Amino acid sequence: MGTDMTQAIRQLSQDRGISEELILRTIEDTLIAAYRHRFGNADNAVVRFDDENREVSIYAQKKIVEPDGVYDPVTEIDLEEARELNPDADVGDEILVELDPREFDRIAVQSAKQTAHQTIREIQKDSLYSEFKDKVGEIIIGYYQRERNGTIYVDLGKMEGILPRKYQSPRETYHVNDRIKALIAEVNKTPAGLQVVLSRTHTEFVRAIFELEVPEIYDKTVEIHKIVREPGFRTKLAVYSNREDVDPVGACVGLKGVRIQAVIKELEGEKIDILKYDPEPKRFIKNALSPAEVREVIILDEGKHQALAVVADNLLSLAIGKQGLNVRLANRLVDWNIDVKTDTQFAEMDIAAESRRAVSELFGDSDSYTDEFSRISELPGVDAQLTQILLDNGIEFIEDFLALSQKELEDKGITVEQLDGLRKLIDEYVEIIEEEEETGESVEAGQDDDGVTEDDEQDDEAEEYECPECGSKITVDMHTCPSCGIGLSFEYEEEE
């Protein structure tokens, strides 16, 4: 019988994945539960196993009292009875009295059995929880068992895992006993038992697959900066190398593409773009839009992470991707809002003033941006409320604003602080060319209207000036320069 118990403990340990020590503790708890049910109290119950765990015994620890002095037979024994068990027993000593579990009633045995089953379930749940909790984020292989309401139940050996519909790739279909490789996404304790949630759509699933297929990623020679994915359609992977002599992209692709093909096969043909991570945003954005070749990347707003990517006219659809998938994944990968335009579209764009300045500097014409501002609204950082007030009063162009006096502007409801701020912006971004300051005469280029005053025009017709643009000789009766064609206007200021 002892041998049978030893074999049963070992078999239970193998089947349930529970240590023998925990099984012995469960047997002890079971016997104590039966004792408690039989006698109402288990404070004096003692369970002991032999050295080889072949035999188990339960005892009642009782105090020896004078003959006829027993008040509680569960915890006390008289001296005569005690000396039958141990001749050296004496009053006041304690003695262990062995009990036969078979003497327990049926209800006590049933209670003990339920306690044993519950204890084993709890131990098994805790043991499996500890084991699988440490494996969250790792790959596990199981076999398709059944499907219910879109959820696939997977046999993991020790227990059953679930693969919810939302974590299944739309490319994949499964049949009974199919082998399924998946990521352990969650491990939860529920009233029904332990729940292991699997996934084949998480980005970490792709990371784990690459760690299996690419030794350089596993040993951290090549590291993955970020993965973005549209499960079943496309994945973008940014990688970098910790060694100069190792090409991160080449390591992931493998000789003749053998490594990347293994990953694609596991993902059932999902497209994978592997690109090199670059801390410089322009280069990273250019890489992220692969497989399209980007001619140039322009940073429109660094603070808001807005950028413009320019591609050849025939590459627009490739850069954007089907239903915008390629550029959408690129946005998530680099964490920038990327707008893709063709060369033709870029040439026709009305880029904001600050962006024009950046574009001009990009192509080596850093001074050209100063000509671009003719409207007040185009000035960088201009007060929107002030712009609206000026528009409501018919003042749209910078020249119109400069033509008005301080008092006229204040009468239109504009504060001194607003006026000072606008004038500072004009001084910073607008080049105003003035000549002949000693006579109070000035020539200003830019508007094609007639600005000749009603002073003695006849006397001034003979006077000649230089074109502020090309330096050719001009007179006050000219509206455009005969050499460069720029519009001219003349203003006279009264001498005080």
Side-chain angles (χ1 to χ4, degrees):
M1 182 175 177
T3 304
D4 292 342
M5 186 179 114
T6 303
Q7 292 177 348
I9 290 174
R10 290 175 180 171
Q11 187 65 41
L12 184 62
S13 177
Q14 293 174 0
D15 293 344
R16 300 294 184 92
I18 304 174
S19 69
E20 292 187 13
E21 181 182 351
L22 289 175
I23 294 175
L24 292 174
R25 190 184 304 169
T26 301
I27 295 173
E28 180 180 348
D29 293 342
T30 302
L31 291 172
I32 290 177
Y35 184 96
R36 181 184 296 108
H37 193 277
R38 173 67 178 81
F39 298 106
N41 191 337
D43 292 342
N44 65 329
V46 177
V47 177
R48 287 184 177 175
F49 296 88
D50 65 4
D51 293 339
E52 297 180 1
N53 298 327
R54 297 175 60 186
E55 296 287 345
V56 59
S57 302
I58 183 166
Y59 300 87
Q61 185 173 345
K62 297 184 179 184
K63 185 177 181 180
I64 302 174
V65 296
E66 293 286 351
D68 301 326
V70 176
Y71 294 100
D72 183 2
V74 176
T75 60
E76 296 175 338
I77 185 172
D78 66 37
L79 181 59
E80 292 181 1
E81 243 185 291
R83 283 182 174 171
E84 291 178 4
L85 299 174
N86 183 0
D88 298 328
D90 201 358
V91 174
D93 293 343
E94 290 186 343
I95 189 171
L96 293 177
V97 181
E98 185 174 3
L99 304 176
D100 186 351
R102 289 175 293 185
E103 295 179 359
F104 295 160
D105 58 42
R106 184 181 61 82
I107 298 177
V109 173
Q110 186 66 27
S111 174
K113 184 178 178 181
Q114 291 175 354
T115 301
H117 284 195
Q118 182 178 353
T119 302
I120 290 176
R121 282 197 301 268
E122 289 298 323
I123 291 173
Q124 186 179 19
K125 184 191 297 185
D126 292 341
S127 177
L128 288 173
Y129 179 79
S130 299
E131 178 182 347
F132 281 93
K133 191 67 176 177
D134 293 338
K135 293 182 178 180
V136 171
E138 296 182 8
I139 294 291
I140 193 169
I141 296 175
Y143 294 89
Y144 183 107
Q145 290 294 100
R146 66 187 189 280
E147 182 268 338
R148 182 180 179 186
N149 297 329
T151 297
I152 294 174
Y153 291 81
V154 183
D155 180 10
L156 301 177
K158 293 182 179 180
M159 63 172 303
E160 197 172 56
I162 62 170
L163 181 60
R165 184 192 296 274
K166 64 179 179 179
Y167 293 153
Q168 298 172 28
S169 171
R171 280 181 175 269
E172 301 166 352
T173 56
Y174 303 97
H175 304 89
V176 176
N177 294 326
D178 278 356
R179 174 180 172 275
I180 298 178
K181 182 184 289 186
L183 180 84
I184 300 177
E186 302 172 25
V187 178
N188 306 312
K189 283 184 177 180
T190 68
L194 190 65
Q195 183 186 68
V196 177
V197 182
L198 308 177
S199 172
R200 284 183 58 86
T201 60
H202 280 51
T203 55
E204 291 304 308
F205 177 64
V206 177
R207 183 188 297 271
I209 294 296
F210 269 97
E211 287 179 354
L212 292 174
E213 298 293 340
V214 183
E216 289 85 352
I217 292 180
Y218 181 78
D219 64 18
K220 305 298 183 183
T221 301
V222 174
E223 294 195 42
I224 299 174
H225 171 70
K226 190 175 181 181
I227 303 174
V228 292
R229 186 184 183 202
E230 199 76 27
F233 299 97
R234 196 179 208 105
T235 292
K236 282 186 179 289
L237 195 79
V239 295
Y240 63 93
S241 175
N242 291 318
R243 285 174 47 184
E244 293 183 359
D245 59 335
V246 176
D247 175 21
V249 177
C252 294
V253 173
L255 184 64
K256 297 183 179 180
V258 64
R259 292 175 176 175
I260 189 64
Q261 287 302 322
V263 178
I264 292 174
K265 182 179 179 181
E266 180 60 46
L267 299 180
E268 299 292 340
E270 183 175 315
K271 294 180 180 178
I272 300 177
D273 297 331
I274 302 176
L275 55 103
K276 186 176 181 180
Y277 166 71
D278 198 305
E280 206 286 313
K282 289 185 179 180
R283 290 195 291 267
F284 192 21
I285 291 171
K286 185 180 292 188
N287 295 343
L289 286 170
S290 64
E293 183 177 347
V294 179
R295 184 181 68 82
E296 192 56 73
V297 175
I298 300 159
I299 304 300
L300 299 178
D301 191 323
E302 188 167 359
K304 295 181 180 179
H305 279 204
Q306 294 180 343
L308 177 68
V310 183
V311 300
D313 289 20
N314 62 336
L315 294 180
L316 180 62
S317 59
L318 183 63
I320 294 177
K322 188 176 181 180
Q323 297 179 346
L325 180 60
N326 193 57
V327 70
R328 189 165 64 249
L329 288 176
N331 285 344
R332 289 163 51 192
L333 186 66
V334 302
D335 197 24
W336 279 68
N337 185 13
I338 307 170
D339 188 13
V340 181
K341 298 292 182 184
T342 65
D343 289 325
T344 303
Q345 292 171 333
F346 176 68
E348 297 172 352
M349 283 182 64
D350 182 17
I351 306 177
E354 187 66 20
S355 302
R356 283 184 179 274
R357 178 178 182 180
V359 173
S360 298
E361 291 176 344
L362 178 67
F363 292 103
D365 189 13
S366 59
D367 295 331
S368 64
Y369 75 93
T370 56
D371 299 346
E372 296 295 333
F373 304 106
S374 60
R375 291 177 172 81
I376 295 172
S377 60
E378 294 175 346
L379 291 169
V382 67
D383 187 342
Q385 181 183 6
L386 173 59
T387 303
Q388 189 58 48
I389 294 173
L390 293 172
L391 284 173
D392 293 342
N393 287 276
I395 305 170
E396 180 181 1
F397 294 93
I398 296 174
E399 184 180 12
D400 298 335
F401 171 81
L402 295 175
L404 297 174
S405 66
Q406 180 85 2
K407 186 176 185 307
E408 290 175 323
L409 291 169
E410 290 179 2
D411 290 341
K412 299 182 184 299
I414 305 172
T415 66
V416 176
E417 290 77 14
Q418 288 176 318
L419 293 174
D420 292 342
L422 181 54
R423 288 195 176 97
K424 286 180 181 178
L425 288 176
I426 294 174
D427 291 340
E428 181 178 357
Y429 291 103
V430 180
E431 181 180 1
I432 301 175
I433 303 172
E434 295 182 355
E435 295 184 0
E436 304 293 339
E437 291 183 356
E438 67 275 14
T439 62
E441 300 168 354
S442 65
V443 181
E444 182 174 344
Q447 299 297 326
D448 224 354
D449 55 351
D450 190 350
V452 181
T453 63
E454 293 181 2
D455 289 332
D456 191 2
E457 190 174 348
Q458 298 296 325
D459 296 336
D460 291 332
E461 287 183 357
E463 293 184 38
E464 293 183 343
Y465 302 93
E466 288 186 357
C467 174
E469 184 69 20
C470 64
S472 301
K473 297 297 182 180
I474 58 173
T475 59
V476 295
D477 58 341
M478 295 180 179
H479 297 287
T480 58
C481 175
S483 297
C484 64
I486 190 172
L488 303 174
S489 66
F490 297 83
E491 292 185 1
Y492 293 84
E493 299 177 359
E494 285 189 356
E495 294 183 358
E496 296 181 358

